[in-house]
Amino acid sequence: MATHKHDQHPVKVFTQAELKELKQDPQLCNHERRTFLKWGALLTSQAIVGGGVLNLLTGEEAMADDTFVNVVSWVKSVCGYCSVGCGLEIGINAAGAAVAVRGNAAHPTNAGRVCVKGLYEHKILADQDLRVGSRGKYPMSRDASGNWQNITWDEATTLLAQKIIEATNTAGPDSVGIYNTGQWTIEEYYSMGKLGKGAIKTSTMDSNTRLCMAAAVYGYMSTFGSDGPPGCYDDIENTDCFFLIGTNPAEMHPQVWRRIIQARRSARAPRMIVVDPRRTATARSADLHLQLKPGTNVALMNGILQQLIANNWIDSAYINAHTRNFNALAAKVAAYTPTYVAGITGLAAADIQTAAQWIGQSPEVWSMFIQGVYQSMGGTDTVRLICAMHLITGKIGRPGSSPFSITGQATAMSNRETGGSSALSGYRNYYNPAHIAEVEQLWNVAPGTIPAHATTVITSDIDLQPTIPSMVDMMRNGTLKVYWVACTNPSVTLPDLDKYHDYLSFSNPARPFVVVQDIFDPMESMHFADLFLPAAQWGEKTGTYTCSERRVNLGRQAVQPVGFELRPNYGAYSDLEIIKMVSDKLAAFDFRFRDQAGGSLVKSADPETVFNEWKLVSTGKICDMSGMTYANIAANSGIAWPSTPANVLGGKRLYANGLFNTNWNRAQYGKTPTAAWIDPDGLSRAYLWAVDYVAPPEVPDASYPFWLNTGRVIEHFHSRTKTKRVAQLHEMVPENYVEISTADAANLGVITGDLVKVTSRRGEIVVKAKVTDTVKAGAVFIPMHFGDLDPIDVAENNGRKVSVNRLTMNYVDKDCAQPIYKHCAVKLAKA
Amino acid sequence: MMLSRTFASIFKVFLAGLLLTSASVWAAKGGGATTTTSGVLPGEDTSYAIEKEYSCLTGGCHETNTQLLTDHANSLMTHAMVKCNACHGTHTASQLGLPKPNLTGYYPGIGAIGYVVGKDRCLTCHSAQLLSAAGHRSNPTTCTGCHVPHMFLK
């Protein structure tokens, strides 16, 4: 039985004898069966002392988790979970440990509020606060028997450098795959991009942001010419109509939801339209909930566009001055009448008309969207059509009106900006030779160093989509030689997991050398690793984070990285330090990995020094950060880009002047200057896409009669790498489950708590039923957070497979290669 | 062990008085009174949050506490998806290995006798209101003296 130390106040309420009694009679916890006498016996040894409970037998005081009594200083930082970018303060005790978190009341994003994940964020730092597992402190490699053995950092980085050099020699630089994250700092992404593209010269770089918001990036790039959410959070208080499609901010972005609630209570009283197949918390408070069939977003958006045009709720002057291809769009959507769209989406035609009317007639409209759009069929096209909706109504670039993509991770935006994985640094175009030459000059590498083509994405199944290669496909065919996974957990989060696990199995002779760089030991991806590199995390390092509204915040180090006392041979290092170590080792071993001055590509492991270098790379570009310094970022509680020395705070909204980034010299994407969205006249006009609805590749049938939807819960983050270790979060949602409608549950003879076998054409899991009318009849929902390889999960699930990605389909968006996690077909049976 | 049992016997007597006293204090503070006002407006739906609090409100522990359910269902904080564990989360369940933690120190028919959510928990999110001269008139030792627990109306 673990005892969690809480500084000077051990959190231990019951004596061992009492614990034994409780174990023998767990029903003590059930109020229905509990008797006064049982509790009387239990509580005999306790007395109230202030806000805690004193165990009179042991003299130990049970301290509540809510006290700041031990805090001696507060360190201003920013949250490391989702992309909202809430300002936090980390409470430090006299011993230098983090013991509390509170909201930063001065931060404009959250005004002091935090969600439940942020509230307990300090509990992911130190071993004594973890519910299960421990922090990784030792680099490790496999011995001859396959068991982990501790090795020094010098040995670990030497091994990795040798493997990269060996792969480069035998199979070329693209055989080195790097798969990272949306949770590093700007400085870390920038350095990894430099190492990968400038030193290793691989184009096999991607990140978990591919699973998260690639559709937004490609939708923006092919409409506006570049990535970058145009709006900001202040639009929430300045709009007349919220159009929330594929998003559930009440659960996923709680501080955005709080602002929406407050705005809805204002005299302006904006309307709220919610598009979601589930009756989420957000949907239940909507004025209009469009509970459409999965995978039909494109049809709905075409239907709304048809109504806007048919009713002349458009801004012709804006269309003529600032867009192209309107006539094609109008012709395309003309067939998408409310009746036709109702037949595809399952919605009432009148509701589609109402939605269009509110959007068309509201002076300002703010759209927010995330995975329900990105991870559904036609993700990129849906983003394009949302943007088109704003463009043809002229509702963009002014307070209260914007398409606003929100991301899932704290710094996913930063990866996009700096080119930490698939992108080219500074929103440059991989296909524009002039852009590549700029970066090569800035990095002082020879012309031709950076691969002159785009990245290889993380996942696809060439049996389903033969024209989309990927790292997973390279694993299958044996051409991926090194697979460096950093700050992400693909063994839980990739689709069609059974196949992925097979490709990485140690019984597969063609498997790559797998490196996992992470903060906990164990975690699921370590299961397949040959080398483990322990990393420092949020609160243990300083760096900058770009949140969804393009605001760059400063996250400060509050405590020493775990295992600091074991340095230099052991202990966790920041990802920036690890990247530099590998870069230095490669440069030392082989001249091909050096810059033209003969040095390592990564020049510094000091975050502020790296930020200053990155600023130069961003100067004059779309995501210009040249006006920022650590000091003025801190002083302003974050600064939105673009920010120049002449206009430091000028980045609140993009496209206020109606000029977009579609000219070839500025565009972030386009294989040639003849790409559809590149303005041939150089007038910086946005491009309006005209696209048809395409049905999903898999729909329910007689064999697999249910739609499966996947998503998140408020307590957990991604694969629970962090949140399953926080007791206060775990206890609320301790295991995976399947939401089943009341009608379907009755037909199956299932009640809440029953085990249910859920099977798709790809795999099978067994999870508990949760009967609810959050889902419609014929549809089920399973959270995406739960893995089943970590030994603690195996034990807690009694060996059951519970990970929903054993069921999902490895079918990716045709434009951006984001998997469609949001819908596939399954069957259910009582287990 | 013997010493422990002796202590336990002594404090059984102590406990009876303690529980009765606690219940009286709780009742005197208004515990159990039916609240007629609401922190949520028409159209603001808290049912999802409550449904998702199955560990606490629909899982066999607190369904019968109508006062708690009513107040919580009418709270703006519930509408904002602030659930039980935000304020009441402790290590109790993980220590006991039980699926339904008692995080509150509240016992039906008796009242809260142990863990009481402290002011610092409120300040985790609401320091601006307290520290702002325009936001709050005083700096009291507790928040729940004025703001009804689980609904937080003043």
Side-chain angles (χ1 to χ4, degrees):
Chain A
M1 186 69 62
T3 299
H4 296 262
K5 296 294 182 187
H6 201 275
D7 302 319
Q8 300 90 345
H9 301 282
V11 181
K12 183 182 175 189
V13 179
F14 301 105
T15 67
Q16 290 303 312
E18 291 160 351
L19 288 173
K20 188 176 178 184
E21 181 184 357
L22 280 165
K23 283 179 182 174
Q24 290 168 346
D25 187 2
Q27 295 302 331
L28 277 170
C29 193
N30 187 324
H31 285 266
E32 296 301 314
R33 302 186 188 186
R34 189 171 53 219
T35 67
F36 179 85
L37 287 177
K38 280 183 176 177
W39 274 110
L42 177 67
L43 295 164
T44 49
S45 60
Q46 297 184 22
I48 303 167
V49 178
V53 178
L54 178 66
N55 187 315
L56 294 173
L57 298 182
T58 64
E60 293 174 342
E61 187 180 355
M63 292 300 295
D65 286 322
D66 61 0
T67 180
F68 298 156
V69 67
N70 295 325
V71 174
V72 297
S73 64
W74 293 95
V75 177
K76 282 189 168 55
S77 189
V78 61
C79 184
Y81 282 114
C82 85
S83 66
V84 174
C86 295
L88 300 182
E89 295 177 327
I90 305 170
I92 307 300
N93 70 6
V99 293
V101 161
R102 68 181 183 190
N104 177 359
H107 199 283
T109 299
N110 57 313
R113 270 59 165 225
V114 295
C115 80
V116 70
K117 288 189 289 292
L119 191 150
Y120 293 116
E121 200 159 0
H122 59 288
K123 289 181 176 290
I124 59 174
L125 289 165
D127 279 352
Q128 67 258 31
D129 285 330
L130 303 180
R131 186 185 70 87
V132 293
S134 59
R135 294 292 308 281
K137 303 176 197 70
Y138 297 91
M140 295 188 293
S141 65
R142 302 276 185 185
D143 64 19
S145 304
N147 298 316
W148 285 114
Q149 60 180 358
N150 295 344
I151 58 176
T152 66
W153 273 106
D154 183 57
E155 291 168 332
T157 51
T158 295
L159 178 60
L160 176 53
Q162 287 173 338
K163 289 290 181 182
I164 290 171
I165 292 168
E166 181 182 312
T168 303
N169 289 342
T170 58
D174 282 349
S175 69
V176 179
I178 300 172
Y179 181 56
N180 57 55
T181 182
Q183 297 168 54
W184 278 351
T185 63
I186 281 178
E187 296 78 5
E188 289 165 341
Y189 292 124
Y190 172 71
S191 298
M192 181 54 105
K194 206 175 176 189
L195 171 62
K197 299 178 179 76
I200 301 172
K201 307 177 185 66
T202 179
S203 63
T204 313
M205 290 185 76
D206 206 2
S207 64
N208 62 17
T209 59
R210 178 73 54 188
L211 319 177
C212 180
M213 46 24 40
V217 175
Y218 279 72
Y220 284 152
M221 289 195 304
S222 58
T223 299
F224 304 139
S226 77
D227 187 13
C232 60
Y233 299 141
D234 282 357
D235 289 333
I236 295 170
E237 288 85 23
N238 289 285
T239 197
D240 302 290
C241 182
F242 293 108
F243 181 63
L244 309 180
I245 175 169
T247 177
N248 177 18
E251 199 153 13
M252 311 315 156
H253 301 98
Q255 296 314 314
V256 168
W257 177 238
R258 179 187 62 80
R259 291 179 67 161
I260 290 173
I261 291 171
Q262 295 297 341
R264 296 254 293 158
R265 289 177 158 217
S266 70
R268 193 164 186 157
R271 286 178 162 132
M272 186 165 76
I273 304 165
V274 174
V275 182
D276 199 310
R278 294 172 71 224
R279 288 183 61 246
T280 63
T282 307
R284 292 183 196 199
S285 291
D287 297 306
L288 179 61
H289 176 201
L290 301 177
Q291 195 172 5
L292 78 180
K293 288 180 185 173
T296 61
N297 291 330
V298 169
L300 173 64
M301 289 310 305
N302 273 348
I304 289 173
L305 289 164
Q306 186 272 342
Q307 283 290 291
L308 292 172
I309 295 168
N311 290 286
N312 199 31
W313 292 321
I314 59 175
D315 184 339
S316 296
Y318 192 94
I319 292 169
N320 292 333
H322 301 298
T323 72
R324 294 191 303 120
N325 208 39
F326 175 76
N327 290 339
L329 170 64
K332 177 67 73 178
V333 302
Y336 287 80
T337 63
T339 303
Y340 177 64
V341 174
I344 297 171
T345 59
L347 299 170
D351 285 346
I352 299 166
Q353 292 171 305
T354 300
Q357 182 180 355
W358 289 0
I359 291 164
Q361 295 185 336
S362 297
E364 309 298 342
V365 176
W366 195 69
S367 300
M368 191 169 86
F369 41 96
I370 185 167
Q371 307 306 357
V373 167
Y374 310 156
Q375 295 179 345
S376 292
M377 188 65 186
T380 301
D381 281 344
T382 306
V383 173
R384 290 163 171 162
L385 296 173
I386 294 168
C387 293
M389 182 183 84
H390 284 270
L391 288 164
I392 68 169
T393 56
K395 292 169 184 171
I396 185 170
R398 64 189 193 213
S401 282
S402 174
F404 190 82
S405 58
I406 192 160
T407 58
Q409 301 176 82
T411 65
M413 290 278 292
S414 305
N415 198 336
R416 291 150 71 170
E417 294 149 6
T418 57
S421 55
S422 58
L424 188 58
S425 206
Y427 276 5
R428 290 175 171 87
N429 183 1
Y430 238 131
Y431 295 98
N432 187 328
H435 288 193
I436 287 188
E438 281 178 0
V439 179
E440 288 172 338
Q441 186 174 18
L442 287 161
W443 289 354
N444 191 24
V445 294
T449 295
I450 296 174
H453 54 89
T455 191
T456 299
V457 301
I458 179 61
T459 190
S460 68
D461 183 339
I462 60 165
D463 290 341
L464 298 172
Q465 295 168 290
T467 60
I468 304 178
S470 68
M471 282 191 234
V472 167
D473 182 52
M474 292 172 72
M475 293 172 205
R476 179 162 85 160
N477 64 32
T479 55
L480 191 71
K481 301 302 180 187
V482 174
Y483 179 41
W484 183 358
V485 178
C487 196
T488 186
N489 196 8
S491 295
V492 178
T493 56
L494 288 183
D496 199 0
L497 267 185
D498 288 352
K499 281 186 181 172
Y500 175 76
H501 291 172
D502 284 347
Y503 301 153
L504 292 184
S505 166
F506 285 95
S507 63
N508 174 13
R511 71 185 298 275
F513 180 78
V514 180
V515 185
V516 169
Q517 179 173 321
D518 213 288
I519 60 178
F520 291 110
D521 170 18
M523 43 83 72
E524 290 83 354
S525 288
M526 278 183 73
H527 195 80
F528 301 99
D530 299 279
L531 175 65
F532 175 73
L533 305 177
Q537 63 153 315
W538 170 91
E540 296 174 333
K541 58 187 180 184
T542 291
T544 45
Y545 299 49
T546 317
C547 75
S548 282
E549 63 167 354
R550 293 171 285 102
R551 179 185 296 272
V552 178
N553 287 300
L554 182 61
R556 284 194 176 90
Q557 180 179 355
V559 297
Q560 292 288 13
V562 66
F564 185 79
E565 69 282 0
L566 302 172
R567 289 185 176 193
N569 285 337
Y570 308 108
Y573 279 80
S574 75
D575 294 282
L576 177 57
E577 291 170 313
I578 296 170
I579 292 164
K580 176 156 176 56
M581 280 192 260
V582 176
S583 177
D584 290 352
K585 200 61 74 79
L586 283 167
F589 287 171
D590 192 321
F591 72 93
R592 293 174 297 174
F593 298 90
R594 301 171 192 158
D595 64 15
Q596 294 191 111
S600 168
L601 262 286
V602 179
K603 298 297 180 188
S604 175
D606 171 61
E608 191 164 7
T609 302
V610 176
F611 185 77
N612 288 333
E613 181 183 328
W614 151 247
K615 280 166 54 178
L616 294 176
V617 176
S618 79
T619 300
K621 309 308 293 183
I622 297 159
C623 54
D624 195 332
M625 297 186 196
S626 60
M628 300 182 196
T629 64
Y630 272 21
N632 69 12
I633 292 171
N636 289 283
S637 293
I639 296 173
W641 61 256
S643 170
T644 64
N647 191 10
V648 173
L649 303 179
K652 192 154 192 165
R653 291 182 184 83
L654 303 181
Y655 313 130
N657 58 3
L659 298 177
F660 299 89
N661 297 308
T662 47
N663 293 349
W664 172 247
N665 65 342
R666 193 157 176 82
Q668 187 188 353
Y669 184 49
K671 292 183 180 178
T672 69
T674 60
W677 54 91
I678 301 299
D679 192 332
D681 303 317
L683 298 176
S684 304
R685 292 168 295 183
Y687 185 74
L688 300 170
W689 281 82
V691 296
D692 269 315
Y693 161 74
V694 176
E698 184 175 274
V699 298
D701 56 20
S703 301
Y704 296 89
F706 292 92
W707 282 110
L708 168 65
N709 186 2
T710 71
R712 306 177 184 210
V713 301
I714 192 170
E715 279 83 6
H716 287 304
F717 185 73
H718 282 203
S719 62
R720 293 161 64 247
T721 313
K722 291 190 274 194
T723 53
K724 75 178 177 186
R725 306 180 199 273
V726 181
Q728 291 84 350
L729 303 175
H730 167 82
E731 286 164 4
M732 210 65 169
V733 190
E735 60 182 316
N736 212 357
Y737 59 86
V738 54
E739 290 184 354
I740 306 173
S741 75
T742 307
D744 290 331
N747 290 337
L748 292 162
V750 166
I751 61 171
T752 292
D754 283 349
L755 287 175
V756 175
K757 182 165 70 175
V758 188
T759 309
S760 76
R761 289 181 173 84
R762 293 155 291 280
E764 176 182 298
I765 63 174
V766 177
V767 292
K768 283 185 178 171
K770 179 169 169 50
V771 180
T772 172
D773 287 325
T774 297
V775 291
K776 271 186 165 180
V780 298
F781 170 87
I782 301 177
M784 52 78 76
H785 306 289
F786 292 81
D788 50 28
L789 297 177
D790 190 336
I792 186 66
D793 292 323
V794 173
E796 291 181 348
N797 294 318
N798 295 318
R800 282 182 286 118
K801 300 298 183 192
V802 302
S803 186
V804 72
N805 283 320
R806 294 185 184 278
L807 310 177
T808 51
M809 192 176 190
N810 194 2
Y811 187 93
V812 300
D813 184 83
K814 63 182 171 47
D815 297 300
C816 71
Q818 181 158 355
I820 52 168
Y821 291 101
K822 289 291 184 182
H823 44 78
C824 67
V826 296
K827 60 184 177 184
L828 307 181
K830 191 171 179 179
Chain B
M1 182 61 73
M2 282 299 295
L3 183 62
S4 296
R5 285 179 180 169
T6 304
F7 267 111
S9 299
I10 292 170
F11 279 102
K12 276 182 182 175
V13 178
F14 169 72
L15 175 77
L18 179 66
L19 296 182
L20 291 172
T21 304
S22 299
S24 302
V25 170
W26 178 72
K29 285 183 175 178
T34 301
T35 306
T36 54
T37 53
S38 176
V40 296
L41 302 176
E44 294 179 336
D45 190 319
T46 58
S47 62
Y48 183 91
I50 292 171
E51 187 181 323
K52 288 288 182 179
E53 289 166 318
Y54 60 90
S55 297
C56 312
L57 300 180
T58 57
C61 288
H62 297 287
E63 289 93 328
T64 56
N65 187 342
T66 53
Q67 176 71 50
L68 168 64
L69 287 171
T70 302
D71 287 353
H72 189 56
N74 284 292
S75 170
L76 177 60
M77 284 177 62
T78 310
H79 182 42
M81 286 295 285
V82 180
K83 294 158 62 178
C84 308
N85 58 338
C87 301
H88 295 292
T90 75
H91 290 289
T92 310
S94 59
Q95 287 199 348
L96 300 185
L98 296 174
K100 296 170 186 170
N102 183 325
L103 306 177
T104 63
Y106 171 83
Y107 305 106
I110 300 170
I113 63 166
Y115 180 92
V116 176
V117 175
K119 179 182 172 183
D120 283 350
R121 174 54 85 227
C122 305
L123 292 183
T124 299
C125 289
H126 298 288
S127 60
Q129 286 85 340
L130 185 67
L131 299 175
S132 161
H136 211 274
R137 285 171 294 182
S138 62
N139 188 356
T141 54
T142 66
C143 301
T144 52
C146 295
H147 300 276
V148 179
H150 305 120
M151 187 158 63
F152 306 105
L153 278 182
K154 191 173 182 181

